[in-house]
Amino acid sequence: MPKVRDPDGAALAERRQSRRIMVGDVAVGGDAPISVQSMTTTVTADINATLQQIAELTAAGCQIVRVAVPSADDAEALPVIARKSQIPVVADIHFQPRYVFAAIEAGCAAVRVNPGNIKKFDDRVGEIAKAASEAGVPIRIGVNAGSLDRRLLAKYGRATPEALVESALWECSLFEEHGFRDIKISVKHNDPVVMVQAYRLLAQRCDYPLHLGVTEAGPAFQGTIKSAVAFGALLAEGIGDTIRVSLSAPPAEEVKVGAQILESLGLRQRGLEIVSCPSCGRAQVDVYTLADRVTAGLQGLDVPLRVAVMGCVVNGPGEAREADLGVASGNGKGQIFVKGEVIKTVPESQIVETLIEEALRIAEEMRAEGVASGEPSVDVAG
């Protein structure tokens, strides 16, 4: 059974063994890598704008994209979008079951339905299961705290973990009656504690792959923290097969945060990593400026390279020695380390230029050896 590992290779937890489904050409569940998803913010009926945003998300590292289908015009746009998208498209359906059939016929890679928002949905599960099965289209049962079925709200009083899980498993049971188990589940809540409790409970009660999300997480800073806390807790326990960071920010930012969470847990190969000190009274150089300039200069680097930008002689030499490339700064100059060895000492004014030159040289050597990530990221640590 695959294990969740930290960046140094130590096992964190056995990964929960879930069944495997295919969302287009992306495997979800089983021992498949955890994928990063996002959702377009365009009006889906605006095909050009939607495809442009999907292209931007793809470039940012998104592997599965969801599009909203609230109207007939949106449904009519799905065939073109599904055909031209570089990554699998999931149709997000609420209120109208007929759009589920439209999405399947359009060639979407999956369909998301919300049990709390689909009117007369339960009476048509058999038809949907048959259509989805014949087309090889999985269904995501996406339960949200903000749109929980009224029957469950009356029973539990609020959107408790138990209520979210009961809603998801009830809907699963309706599909199971028709022999359909090509299902992925999400039970989202805006409170990370409730969300974590819900997924833990759900993980114990089924073997379906789980899509993690903190719904309505908030603006970029708050949403990033809430998502990182919740995802980190669950992924470190081996729970979760795909993730979406929900931010009140451009969707490409969701993808970057999601990828960084996976990289930080050792669940995705790291790209560019900048290790830099937070600065203190010991610092004898402007660490903030150095780190920002090095990061900007290496943006887009496609190899897993760790670069240490350190500002004093206490932790600097050690961190620089442990990195692939680093500088320990002080007294107006910087010692440049490559693979643990000092290769030169340069004036402070030449630190950034030297680090960028050395990084590009090392990157070229790594590419020649067949090492590449393709999804660079930045991690500023203290």
Side-chain angles (χ1 to χ4, degrees), residues 117-137:
N117 280 348
I118 293 285
K119 297 178 181 178
K120 300 180 180 179
F121 174 83
D122 294 352
D123 296 336
R124 305 194 67 182
V125 168
E127 297 174 66
I128 291 172
K130 183 176 185 295
S133 181
E134 291 176 350
V137 173

Side-chain angles (χ1 to χ4, degrees), residues 121 130 167 190 261 267 299 307 375:
F121 174 83
K130 183 176 185 295
S167 175
N190 60 59
I261 291 172
L267 294 168
Q299 186 174 5
V307 181
E375 290 186 359

Side-chain angles (χ1 to χ4, degrees), residues 57-220:
L57 288 169
T58 303
C62 187
Q63 293 158 292
I64 299 173
V65 64
R66 186 156 44 108
V67 299
V69 189
S71 74
D73 288 342
D74 298 315
E76 290 174 4
L78 290 177
V80 176
I81 292 170
R83 186 175 70 252
K84 292 189 174 182
S85 172
Q86 305 97 315
I87 55 177
V89 173
V90 178
D92 189 72
I93 312 295
H94 298 264
F95 303 113
Q96 296 294 342
R98 69 177 184 273
Y99 296 153
V100 176
F101 297 100
I104 293 171
E105 293 172 2
C108 289
V111 176
R112 180 271 175 110
V113 297
N114 183 337
N117 280 348
I118 293 285
K119 297 178 181 178
K120 300 180 180 179
F121 174 83
D122 294 352
D123 296 336
R124 305 194 67 182
V125 168
E127 297 174 66
I128 291 172
K130 183 176 185 295
S133 181
E134 291 176 350
V137 173
I139 299 291
R140 174 181 148 203
I141 295 175
V143 181
N144 266 26
S147 52
L148 193 62
D149 190 294
R150 292 182 180 179
R151 295 168 293 181
L152 292 170
L153 283 176
K155 177 179 178 179
Y156 289 95
R158 57 191 175 86
T160 64
E162 294 78 9
L164 296 171
V165 171
E166 182 173 331
S167 175
L169 294 182
W170 166 254
E171 214 63 51
C172 285
S173 73
L174 298 179
F175 279 97
E176 290 165 354
E177 289 177 0
H178 299 278
F180 188 88
R181 290 178 171 81
D182 204 6
I183 296 170
K184 175 175 62 175
I185 305 176
S186 63
V187 283
K188 296 186 178 183
H189 198 287
N190 60 59
D191 185 330
V193 174
V194 176
M195 176 268 200
V196 168
Q197 292 172 336
Y199 277 98
R200 284 174 175 163
L201 180 60
L202 184 60
Q204 295 171 357
R205 296 186 56 184
C206 73
D207 69 348
Y208 290 114
L210 303 182
H211 170 69
L212 304 186
V214 178
T215 189
E216 286 87 41

Side-chain angles (χ1 to χ4, degrees), residues 238-263:
I239 298 172
D241 300 288
T242 177
I243 64 173
R244 187 233 172 152
V245 177
S246 297
L247 302 177
S248 299
E253 295 303 310
E254 298 183 347
V255 175
K256 294 175 185 176
V257 173
Q260 187 62 63
I261 291 172
L262 295 182
E263 289 181 24

